[in-house]
Amino acid sequence: MLHDRILVEVDRESGERRSSGGIVIPATAAMGARRLAWSKVVAVGPHARTIEVGDRVLFDAEDKAEVEVNGELYVVMRERDIHAVAADRVGDEATGLYL
């Protein structure tokens, strides 16, 4: 990875989802608002300051650049395109989520 780029796994389960009432919503259903997506970080560039491999990040799925590596689909983005990070390294006394 170069500079502040982040490589995240594409969530395969993000296509079809279930509402709180149990209704299955297909991946082709249009959403009124933009939907953000959570993904796991698999690689980071040397200039990424706050993101580490293994963190879960929240990003805008519509602004993604997908790349296929060894048959697996990943998303490449800049660190500044991350909206939130969920990390285990923060500790038990904190929420583990920072914006």
Side-chain angles (χ1 to χ4, degrees):
M1 300 303 305
L2 295 175
H3 306 294
D4 67 340
R5 301 294 198 280
I6 310 288
L7 185 71
V8 298
E9 293 177 326
V10 173
D11 188 9
R12 290 170 181 51
E13 299 174 4
S14 65
E16 192 174 272
R17 57 191 184 280
R18 191 173 295 271
S19 72
S20 59
I23 298 171
V24 175
I25 303 169
T28 57
M31 301 275 304
R34 289 176 28 173
R35 184 174 178 90
L36 299 177
W38 285 99
S39 289
K40 183 179 176 183
V41 176
V42 295
V44 296
H47 297 292
R49 297 175 294 170
T50 58
I51 311 291
E52 293 181 8
V53 173
D55 290 350
R56 290 186 42 83
V57 294
L58 183 68
F59 66 98
D60 187 357
E62 293 189 14
D63 292 338
K64 62 183 178 182
E66 294 182 349
V67 62
E68 187 174 336
V69 179
N70 295 330
E72 296 290 326
L73 197 59
Y74 297 98
V75 175
V76 177
M77 68 186 81
R78 290 183 180 267
E79 185 179 21
R80 69 178 179 214
D81 295 333
I82 303 295
H83 293 278
V85 178
D88 292 333
R89 68 181 179 278
V90 177
D92 292 336
E93 65 277 352
T95 62
L97 179 68
Y98 57 91
L99 301 173

mmCIF file of all heavy atoms in Angstrom, residues 30-51:
data_model
loop_
_atom_site.group_PDB
_atom_site.id
_atom_site.type_symbol
_atom_site.label_atom_id
_atom_site.label_comp_id
_atom_site.label_asym_id
_atom_site.label_seq_id
_atom_site.Cartn_x
_atom_site.Cartn_y
_atom_site.Cartn_z
ATOM 1 N N ALA A 30 -33.506 0.258 -3.796
ATOM 2 C CA ALA A 30 -32.923 1.598 -3.697
ATOM 3 C C ALA A 30 -33.199 2.174 -2.317
ATOM 4 O O ALA A 30 -34.286 2.040 -1.774
ATOM 5 C CB ALA A 30 -33.517 2.504 -4.769
ATOM 6 N N MET A 31 -32.193 2.812 -1.738
ATOM 7 C CA MET A 31 -32.325 3.450 -0.438
ATOM 8 C C MET A 31 -32.552 4.944 -0.674
ATOM 9 O O MET A 31 -31.979 5.520 -1.589
ATOM 10 C CB MET A 31 -31.045 3.267 0.379
ATOM 11 C CG MET A 31 -30.662 1.840 0.637
ATOM 12 S SD MET A 31 -31.442 1.123 2.050
ATOM 13 C CE MET A 31 -30.980 2.239 3.338
ATOM 14 N N GLY A 32 -33.357 5.559 0.176
ATOM 15 C CA GLY A 32 -33.608 6.985 0.055
ATOM 16 C C GLY A 32 -32.370 7.803 0.360
ATOM 17 O O GLY A 32 -32.052 8.767 -0.305
ATOM 18 N N ALA A 33 -31.647 7.394 1.383
ATOM 19 C CA ALA A 33 -30.424 8.095 1.771
ATOM 20 C C ALA A 33 -29.213 7.229 1.443
ATOM 21 O O ALA A 33 -29.337 6.041 1.200
ATOM 22 C CB ALA A 33 -30.456 8.379 3.275
ATOM 23 N N ARG A 34 -28.068 7.860 1.456
ATOM 24 C CA ARG A 34 -26.842 7.087 1.203
ATOM 25 C C ARG A 34 -26.568 6.199 2.401
ATOM 26 O O ARG A 34 -26.745 6.592 3.542
ATOM 27 C CB ARG A 34 -25.681 8.034 0.964
ATOM 28 C CG ARG A 34 -25.815 8.717 -0.354
ATOM 29 C CD ARG A 34 -24.791 9.746 -0.663
ATOM 30 N NE ARG A 34 -23.487 9.576 -0.041
ATOM 31 C CZ ARG A 34 -22.463 10.330 -0.332
ATOM 32 N NH1 ARG A 34 -22.581 11.272 -1.211
ATOM 33 N NH2 ARG A 34 -21.321 10.139 0.275
ATOM 34 N N ARG A 35 -26.121 4.984 2.133
ATOM 35 C CA ARG A 35 -25.852 4.014 3.190
ATOM 36 C C ARG A 35 -24.346 3.829 3.344
ATOM 37 O O ARG A 35 -23.648 3.552 2.378
ATOM 38 C CB ARG A 35 -26.519 2.696 2.841
ATOM 39 C CG ARG A 35 -26.392 1.647 3.900
ATOM 40 C CD ARG A 35 -27.214 0.438 3.503
ATOM 41 N NE ARG A 35 -27.098 -0.623 4.453
ATOM 42 C CZ ARG A 35 -27.885 -0.783 5.498
ATOM 43 N NH1 ARG A 35 -28.861 0.078 5.702
ATOM 44 N NH2 ARG A 35 -27.722 -1.774 6.321
ATOM 45 N N LEU A 36 -23.858 3.962 4.580
ATOM 46 C CA LEU A 36 -22.455 3.729 4.874
ATOM 47 C C LEU A 36 -22.242 2.246 5.162
ATOM 48 O O LEU A 36 -23.165 1.550 5.571
ATOM 49 C CB LEU A 36 -22.018 4.570 6.073
ATOM 50 C CG LEU A 36 -22.147 6.083 5.888
ATOM 51 C CD1 LEU A 36 -21.747 6.796 7.168
ATOM 52 C CD2 LEU A 36 -21.314 6.567 4.726
ATOM 53 N N ALA A 37 -21.028 1.755 4.952
ATOM 54 C CA ALA A 37 -20.738 0.337 5.110
ATOM 55 C C ALA A 37 -19.556 0.134 6.056
ATOM 56 O O ALA A 37 -18.621 0.936 6.082
ATOM 57 C CB ALA A 37 -20.405 -0.274 3.755
ATOM 58 N N TRP A 38 -19.605 -0.953 6.842
ATOM 59 C CA TRP A 38 -18.507 -1.360 7.705
ATOM 60 C C TRP A 38 -17.682 -2.411 6.991
ATOM 61 O O TRP A 38 -18.240 -3.305 6.356
ATOM 62 C CB TRP A 38 -19.019 -1.960 9.013
ATOM 63 C CG TRP A 38 -19.551 -0.965 9.976
ATOM 64 C CD1 TRP A 38 -20.861 -0.652 10.187
ATOM 65 C CD2 TRP A 38 -18.799 -0.155 10.880
ATOM 66 N NE1 TRP A 38 -20.962 0.301 11.153
ATOM 67 C CE2 TRP A 38 -19.717 0.627 11.602
ATOM 68 C CE3 TRP A 38 -17.436 -0.019 11.134
ATOM 69 C CZ2 TRP A 38 -19.308 1.533 12.574
ATOM 70 C CZ3 TRP A 38 -17.037 0.884 12.101
ATOM 71 C CH2 TRP A 38 -17.957 1.648 12.816
ATOM 72 N N SER A 39 -16.369 -2.348 7.085
ATOM 73 C CA SER A 39 -15.481 -3.356 6.514
ATOM 74 C C SER A 39 -14.240 -3.495 7.376
ATOM 75 O O SER A 39 -13.885 -2.588 8.130
ATOM 76 C CB SER A 39 -15.062 -2.986 5.092
ATOM 77 O OG SER A 39 -16.141 -3.120 4.209
ATOM 78 N N LYS A 40 -13.560 -4.631 7.240
ATOM 79 C CA LYS A 40 -12.342 -4.908 8.000
ATOM 80 C C LYS A 40 -11.119 -4.505 7.189
ATOM 81 O O LYS A 40 -11.017 -4.820 6.009
ATOM 82 C CB LYS A 40 -12.276 -6.395 8.323
ATOM 83 C CG LYS A 40 -11.091 -6.771 9.172
ATOM 84 C CD LYS A 40 -11.105 -8.246 9.481
ATOM 85 C CE LYS A 40 -9.864 -8.631 10.258
ATOM 86 N NZ LYS A 40 -9.816 -10.057 10.505
ATOM 87 N N VAL A 41 -10.178 -3.824 7.836
ATOM 88 C CA VAL A 41 -8.945 -3.372 7.198
ATOM 89 C C VAL A 41 -7.978 -4.555 7.080
ATOM 90 O O VAL A 41 -7.722 -5.253 8.062
ATOM 91 C CB VAL A 41 -8.285 -2.240 8.008
ATOM 92 C CG1 VAL A 41 -6.960 -1.828 7.397
ATOM 93 C CG2 VAL A 41 -9.219 -1.051 8.109
ATOM 94 N N VAL A 42 -7.455 -4.778 5.863
ATOM 95 C CA VAL A 42 -6.500 -5.876 5.646
ATOM 96 C C VAL A 42 -5.089 -5.370 5.351
ATOM 97 O O VAL A 42 -4.133 -6.128 5.484
ATOM 98 C CB VAL A 42 -6.977 -6.830 4.529
ATOM 99 C CG1 VAL A 42 -8.238 -7.538 4.942
ATOM 100 C CG2 VAL A 42 -7.174 -6.108 3.225
ATOM 101 N N ALA A 43 -4.935 -4.089 4.966
ATOM 102 C CA ALA A 43 -3.607 -3.515 4.720
ATOM 103 C C ALA A 43 -3.691 -1.999 4.836
ATOM 104 O O ALA A 43 -4.727 -1.408 4.541
ATOM 105 C CB ALA A 43 -3.097 -3.904 3.338
ATOM 106 N N VAL A 44 -2.600 -1.383 5.280
ATOM 107 C CA VAL A 44 -2.530 0.076 5.381
ATOM 108 C C VAL A 44 -1.206 0.561 4.828
ATOM 109 O O VAL A 44 -0.195 -0.153 4.873
ATOM 110 C CB VAL A 44 -2.689 0.579 6.837
ATOM 111 C CG1 VAL A 44 -4.043 0.246 7.387
ATOM 112 C CG2 VAL A 44 -1.616 0.021 7.725
ATOM 113 N N GLY A 45 -1.204 1.777 4.307
ATOM 114 C CA GLY A 45 0.018 2.389 3.808
ATOM 115 C C GLY A 45 0.872 2.901 4.959
ATOM 116 O O GLY A 45 0.403 3.029 6.088
ATOM 117 N N PRO A 46 2.126 3.233 4.690
ATOM 118 C CA PRO A 46 3.044 3.659 5.753
ATOM 119 C C PRO A 46 2.695 5.012 6.377
ATOM 120 O O PRO A 46 3.149 5.303 7.482
ATOM 121 C CB PRO A 46 4.400 3.712 5.052
ATOM 122 C CG PRO A 46 4.077 3.917 3.614
ATOM 123 C CD PRO A 46 2.779 3.199 3.379
ATOM 124 N N HIS A 47 1.884 5.829 5.721
ATOM 125 C CA HIS A 47 1.547 7.148 6.249
ATOM 126 C C HIS A 47 0.151 7.205 6.860
ATOM 127 O O HIS A 47 -0.317 8.291 7.193
ATOM 128 C CB HIS A 47 1.696 8.202 5.159
ATOM 129 C CG HIS A 47 3.092 8.327 4.652
ATOM 130 N ND1 HIS A 47 4.131 8.826 5.404
ATOM 131 C CD2 HIS A 47 3.650 7.964 3.471
ATOM 132 C CE1 HIS A 47 5.250 8.792 4.709
ATOM 133 N NE2 HIS A 47 4.979 8.269 3.525
ATOM 134 N N ALA A 48 -0.514 6.071 7.020
ATOM 135 C CA ALA A 48 -1.802 6.045 7.711
ATOM 136 C C ALA A 48 -1.533 6.244 9.196
ATOM 137 O O ALA A 48 -0.727 5.533 9.792
ATOM 138 C CB ALA A 48 -2.517 4.726 7.457
ATOM 139 N N ARG A 49 -2.190 7.218 9.818
ATOM 140 C CA ARG A 49 -1.865 7.597 11.193
ATOM 141 C C ARG A 49 -2.723 6.910 12.242
ATOM 142 O O ARG A 49 -2.235 6.596 13.323
ATOM 143 C CB ARG A 49 -1.975 9.104 11.351
ATOM 144 C CG ARG A 49 -0.979 9.847 10.482
ATOM 145 C CD ARG A 49 -1.183 11.317 10.549
ATOM 146 N NE ARG A 49 -2.487 11.594 9.930
ATOM 147 C CZ ARG A 49 -3.098 12.750 9.962
ATOM 148 N NH1 ARG A 49 -2.559 13.743 10.606
ATOM 149 N NH2 ARG A 49 -4.249 12.918 9.369
ATOM 150 N N THR A 50 -4.009 6.695 11.966
ATOM 151 C CA THR A 50 -4.907 6.196 13.004
ATOM 152 C C THR A 50 -5.491 4.821 12.726
ATOM 153 O O THR A 50 -6.094 4.231 13.605
ATOM 154 C CB THR A 50 -6.081 7.174 13.210
ATOM 155 O OG1 THR A 50 -6.761 7.328 11.969
ATOM 156 C CG2 THR A 50 -5.596 8.513 13.691
ATOM 157 N N ILE A 51 -5.319 4.305 11.535
ATOM 158 C CA ILE A 51 -5.903 3.025 11.141
ATOM 159 C C ILE A 51 -4.837 1.938 11.222
ATOM 160 O O ILE A 51 -3.691 2.160 10.833
ATOM 161 C CB ILE A 51 -6.438 3.077 9.688
ATOM 162 C CG1 ILE A 51 -7.313 4.302 9.468
ATOM 163 C CG2 ILE A 51 -7.151 1.796 9.319
ATOM 164 C CD1 ILE A 51 -8.607 4.293 10.186
#
